[in-house]
Amino acid sequence: MNPRILIISITKDINKFLAFNIGVLMLILSFIFIIGGYEKKEFILAIFLAGISSLTVNLLSAKIMKRKMEKIIHYSFEKVETQLYFDELTSVYNRTTGINRLMEEMARSKRHKQHLSVAMLDIDNFKSINDNYGHLAGDRVLNHIALQIKNLLRASDVVSRYGGEEFLIILPETDEIKAFMALERVRENIARRPVRIGNGKLNITVSIGITEMDINDSSTDAIQRADLALLQAKRAGKNRIEIAPKYINTID
């Protein structure tokens, strides 16, 4: 349910509660004054003052309750949205969201006949980082890499953690040459900026595979080609970028 709709529903329930509360108070006061034999003027004045006081207190209470509920609801929805769409460790999109965004961008590029490039980025020697420095150091490296990628790419580019130490990067309105230039800046910047681990610094490098989407490609085709280009970059010595040929046999 949309947070706004939920808040409106809760507000209606609060208003119903207020009306019921005031009505009950009036009935009780009426009963007391009838049994006590009070004068009509005293009765009317008491009912009026009690009604005004009750309404004021209830309205203030309702306003406070509404504000608290709005904060709770917005916080809850933001937390759920984060868990559904984002990787908890790196704060970039998770794998499922990344693939969904890829399909969205593919549909947009076909509709507007625009270039679209896809890249797979992998942290070199990541297993040895975990083995030699521990998993907390590995987590710090993942965070560092994710932050560098996001900071150096455009707001329109999409970054997701594809799995382990691998990231899926989607570059709308970008051919393979421009994608290479953009990701070369990322690669160089990562290589120049070591990660602080304890009292020391750890040099990190990444390898990247790039492919430009063809109009007949599926998301699986694009990811497989980029992954094959990434594998080639690893085999060629790591800390480098390879561009996949546009027409190669992908693995079924």
Side-chain angles (χ1 to χ4, degrees), residues 76-86:
S76 299
F77 272 87
E78 285 175 2
K79 191 171 181 180
V80 170
E81 185 181 53
T82 298
Q83 292 172 342
L84 284 175
Y85 300 117
F86 294 90

Side-chain angles (χ1 to χ4, degrees), residues 16-72:
K16 288 178 184 178
F17 171 77
L18 291 179
F20 175 77
N21 192 13
I22 293 170
V24 170
L25 177 64
M26 295 299 186
L27 287 173
I28 293 172
L29 285 173
S30 299
F31 179 76
I32 291 172
F33 273 82
I34 290 170
I35 297 297
Y38 291 94
E39 294 290 333
K40 186 177 181 181
K41 289 183 180 179
E42 294 175 339
F43 172 72
I44 293 172
L45 179 62
I47 290 290
F48 176 77
L49 292 175
I52 292 296
S53 300
S54 176
L55 182 61
T56 302
V57 171
N58 279 284
L59 285 175
L60 288 173
S61 300
K63 194 172 183 179
I64 293 169
M65 287 172 61
K66 184 182 176 183
R67 285 181 180 175
K68 287 183 177 180
M69 287 302 298
E70 285 177 348
K71 289 180 180 178
I72 292 170

Side-chain angles (χ1 to χ4, degrees), residues 8-9 22 33 36 78 101 106 111 119 189 223 231 240:
I8 291 172
S9 176
I22 293 170
F33 273 82
E78 285 175 2
R101 288 297 312 275
M106 286 171 59
R111 188 165 59 249
N189 189 76
I223 291 172
L231 181 60
R240 59 184 291 120

Side-chain angles (χ1 to χ4, degrees), residues 116-145:
L116 175 66
S117 291
V118 177
M120 297 297 291
L121 179 150
D122 187 85
I123 303 172
D124 296 329
N125 307 312
F126 187 73
K127 185 178 184 302
S128 67
I129 295 172
N130 279 332
D131 292 343
N132 295 327
Y133 298 95
H135 288 280
L136 289 178
D139 290 348
R140 180 170 293 183
V141 169
L142 283 166
N143 268 309
H144 173 79
I145 297 300

Side-chain angles (χ1 to χ4, degrees), residues 215-233:
I215 193 168
N216 296 317
D217 281 340
S218 67
S219 58
T220 303
D221 292 335
I223 291 172
Q224 284 182 348
R225 276 207 312 274
D227 222 19
L228 287 172
L230 170 62
L231 181 60
Q232 182 58 37

Side-chain angles (χ1 to χ4, degrees), residues 78-104 119-120 146 150 157-164 166-170 223:
E78 285 175 2
K79 191 171 181 180
V80 170
E81 185 181 53
T82 298
Q83 292 172 342
L84 284 175
Y85 300 117
F86 294 90
D87 177 62
E88 185 177 2
L89 178 61
T90 61
S91 298
V92 298
Y93 287 127
N94 59 31
R95 177 175 177 145
T96 300
T97 307
I99 293 172
N100 289 338
R101 288 297 312 275
L102 174 57
M103 290 189 288
E104 290 172 7
M120 297 297 291
K150 288 193 297 183
D157 297 326
V158 178
V159 182
S160 71
R161 187 179 176 193
Y162 193 72
E166 200 169 24
F167 293 85
L168 170 66
I169 303 170
I170 305 163
I223 291 172

Side-chain angles (χ1 to χ4, degrees), residues 181-241:
M181 294 169 63
L183 292 171
E184 180 64 7
R185 288 194 298 272
V186 172
R187 186 197 64 77
E188 289 178 347
N189 189 76
I190 289 172
R192 287 198 306 262
R193 295 172 65 91
V195 182
R196 184 173 293 279
I197 304 294
N199 295 324
K201 292 182 178 180
L202 182 63
N203 291 314
I204 306 295
T205 63
V206 297
S207 298
I208 304 171
I210 298 172
T211 187
E212 184 177 343
M213 296 288 300
D214 183 77
I215 193 168
N216 296 317
D217 281 340
S218 67
S219 58
T220 303
D221 292 335
I223 291 172
Q224 284 182 348
R225 276 207 312 274
D227 222 19
L228 287 172
L230 170 62
L231 181 60
Q232 182 58 37
K234 292 283 190 181
R235 288 173 175 169
K238 301 178 181 178
N239 189 26
R240 59 184 291 120
I241 298 176

